[in-house]
Amino acid sequence: MRPGYGYITPGGYHLRVPNTELLYATDAYLRTFEARVQGVTGDGGVILDRTAFYATGGGQPHDVGTLTWGLGSANVVEVRKDGGQIVHRLEGPAPERGATVRGEIDWERRYALMRHHTALHSMSGVIYQLYGATVTGGQMYADRARMDFMLPDLSADRLRAIEERTNELLAEAHPVSIRFVARTEALQIPDLIRTKVNLIPEDIDEIRVVNIEGVDQQADGGTHVANTREVGRVRIAGSENKGKGNKRLVIVLE
Ligand SMILES: [Zn+2]
């Protein structure tokens, strides 16, 4: 991730890419879906007309799961964006072009990623509210997450305050909503300006906004839980100096 982009990954905001409708962009809780095979790449990667599989981007790793069709089935082991396409890499032979497939994502892993993603955005809102510090990067895993931000002075007291305030906010059960706003409108929203919405490529004229109501608002392509209470509690498991005032926090969910 380039510094200064926050969680923003250019190209991560779309409802669809040229060949594929991105079902997770509007329904993060969709676990199974039916789709048609639009094409198979030279190395056996499958392109679908619609998918609930998240492709790696914006600090959130891709989903894994299965595709089932006719007499076949295969594990989906990687999902990536490649030249404007979403490519599902399978373990084993791919279905033929035109085949109808049923996809199922590994929900336990995905839900853990959603909880960590919403935890990071919540904490990013807290760090800004408490210290005016802006986030410069983040990465989620199924069992932890990390976040980088600019804050020269990060004392043990401040770490405690960040953890406490984040847990208070999570317990307050703030709804998390997704909406799409016109680029011109997005450029007027203070939260989005703070997270550098202006750096989104100009050819994207509709921007997906993840709003943790009253806590944090960001242009973001990832999947989130519907309410902060689903995150539970966070614990700061470590902090690190990354130089030039940049700090890194590692969090785990309890
Ligand atoms: Zn994000």
Side-chain angles (χ1 to χ4, degrees):
M1 185 180 305
R2 272 185 278 174
Y5 271 64
Y7 298 104
I8 293 166
T9 297
Y13 309 96
H14 300 283
L15 273 173
R16 54 177 303 118
V17 295
N19 291 313
T20 309
E21 183 189 354
L22 306 176
L23 300 170
Y24 60 77
T26 48
D27 184 4
Y29 287 80
L30 186 67
R31 307 177 193 198
T32 62
F33 63 99
E34 282 210 342
R36 188 174 287 271
V37 177
Q38 298 290 90
V40 180
T41 63
D43 58 355
V46 174
I47 294 156
L48 301 172
D49 65 344
R50 56 211 294 263
T51 189
F53 282 91
Y54 185 79
T56 299
Q60 182 177 333
H62 65 80
D63 290 322
V64 297
T66 55
L67 287 186
T68 310
W69 64 93
L71 298 173
S73 79
N75 291 329
V76 177
V77 294
E78 189 203 10
V79 188
R80 66 176 191 276
K81 289 200 181 98
D82 192 354
Q85 312 252 51
I86 304 292
V87 180
H88 305 71
R89 192 162 66 80
L90 306 185
E91 202 173 54
E96 285 178 10
R97 184 165 188 232
T100 298
V101 299
R102 181 176 181 277
E104 177 163 9
I105 63 172
D106 177 338
W107 178 248
E108 199 177 326
R109 172 187 150 93
R110 156 66 89 71
Y111 189 58
L113 289 166
M114 284 162 57
R115 290 175 64 223
H116 283 89
H117 203 154
T118 303
L120 282 191
H121 281 220
S122 301
M123 191 170 270
S124 142
V126 166
I127 290 172
Y128 183 73
Q129 283 165 20
L130 291 179
Y131 308 115
T134 53
V135 170
T136 55
Q139 179 67 45
M140 292 126 249
Y141 306 93
D143 62 349
R144 67 189 188 285
R146 63 174 161 78
M147 182 167 70
D148 297 341
F149 53 94
M150 289 299 294
L151 183 59
D153 176 21
L154 183 62
S155 60
D157 279 351
R158 286 187 163 190
L159 283 173
R160 256 193 309 278
I162 291 167
E163 187 181 274
E164 267 180 37
R165 185 68 192 125
T166 304
N167 282 321
E168 277 171 20
L169 282 177
L170 294 172
E172 285 166 13
H174 295 262
V176 182
S177 61
I178 306 287
R179 72 186 197 283
F180 292 82
V181 301
R183 183 187 182 83
T184 47
E185 187 192 332
L187 291 171
Q188 311 294 321
I189 300 174
D191 276 346
L192 301 185
I193 295 167
R194 161 169 73 81
T195 49
K196 305 212 169 27
V197 70
N198 60 316
L199 296 182
I200 295 173
E202 289 191 3
D203 61 327
I204 298 178
D205 52 14
E206 199 180 40
I207 290 174
R208 184 175 182 270
V209 175
V210 175
N211 184 16
I212 305 176
E213 289 171 27
V215 179
D216 180 81
Q217 203 169 192
Q218 291 186 38
D220 190 89
T223 58
H224 289 261
V225 293
N227 190 292
T228 58
R229 73 171 161 252
E230 292 185 49
V231 177
R233 288 181 59 83
V234 304
R235 181 167 60 81
I236 296 175
S239 65
E240 220 183 309
N241 264 315
K242 300 301 285 179
K244 294 184 180 167
N246 234 324
K247 296 294 192 299
R248 171 169 293 178
L249 290 186
V250 177
I251 62 161
V252 293
L253 301 186
E254 295 185 319

